[in-house]
Amino acid sequence: MPSLRQGSLLHPVLAHTRPNGASSCPFPSSSSACLPSEPIGIGGFSTKVHAVTTTGGKPLHLALTPGQQHESTMAKELLVHAEGNAFISDTGYDADRIRSNARRLGMKPVIHPHPSRKQRPPLGPPLCRMRYRVECFFHDLKRFRAVATRYDKTATCYLAALHVASMLLWLR
């Protein structure tokens, strides 16, 4: 597959999550829709969108998880879809195993350290500034009304709406 990267010479991969309030079941379900009679989890009804983007803020991979699930559980899937020289991500992905997996794939982990981390690894300012691009991607994604308010009842339909919005962002 040809590279679709833009911008920097380093071509880092950006990975972040954004919580999104939802009025329906957030669990990915391939066979059945969530029914109103199903119990609500401790975290309530919400969804997190995980994304791998280019340096220009264009999406390459999207995934959903329930709102109460921690971000670091999706790191392995995001690293599979990641390409480039750096893995730039949010504080939720700050774990030693994620950093070592990124290094094993030949990427420099640029992950903002969690406040509870005793020894904070140094961050490269030029790469750390690129986290802004993924924030801009989520802002552009939320400009689509169906994505921002999550009208869809199932996670599958919501992910499809995210993909349509992502295609439109690529066409801009």
Side-chain angles (χ1 to χ4, degrees):
M1 182 173 150
S3 178
L4 301 173
R5 303 274 185 258
Q6 304 174 15
S8 168
L9 295 175
L10 292 174
H11 302 304
V13 174
L14 309 172
H16 279 308
T17 63
R18 278 289 147 209
N20 183 28
S23 60
S24 59
C25 182
F27 303 102
S29 170
S30 59
S31 61
S32 64
C34 293
L35 302 174
S37 61
E38 290 185 7
I40 298 174
I42 295 172
F45 286 136
S46 64
T47 304
K48 288 182 185 173
V49 178
H50 304 264
V52 176
T53 67
T54 65
T55 56
K58 303 292 186 187
L60 294 176
H61 176 72
L62 296 170
L64 293 177
T65 56
Q68 65 269 20
Q69 184 175 333
H70 196 270
E71 288 91 354
S72 65
T73 59
M74 289 298 294
K76 197 171 202 175
E77 179 183 337
L78 295 176
L79 280 169
V80 167
H81 296 283
E83 299 173 1
N85 296 334
F87 182 72
I88 302 172
S89 62
D90 209 359
T91 306
Y93 297 97
D94 184 27
D96 291 332
R97 67 178 170 79
I98 297 171
R99 289 176 184 275
S100 64
N101 286 342
R103 281 189 200 98
R104 196 174 308 127
L105 292 172
M107 294 182 219
K108 178 182 179 182
V110 182
I111 303 171
H112 195 333
H114 194 272
S116 65
R117 187 178 271 275
K118 300 246 189 282
Q119 293 180 346
R120 295 175 177 233
L123 292 174
L127 290 175
C128 197
R129 280 189 221 122
M130 296 196 77
R131 289 179 56 216
Y132 173 74
R133 299 286 180 121
V134 80
E135 298 297 334
C136 290
F137 160 70
F138 279 108
H139 171 75
D140 290 343
L141 198 62
K142 297 296 176 139
R143 291 176 60 199
F144 294 92
R145 187 174 176 189
V147 171
T149 57
R150 184 166 174 184
Y151 290 127
D152 304 305
K153 286 192 176 271
T154 63
T156 307
C157 292
Y158 183 58
L159 188 59
L162 287 168
H163 284 152
V164 169
S166 295
M167 285 187 286
L168 292 173
L169 290 175
W170 266 104
L171 294 174
R172 273 197 315 174

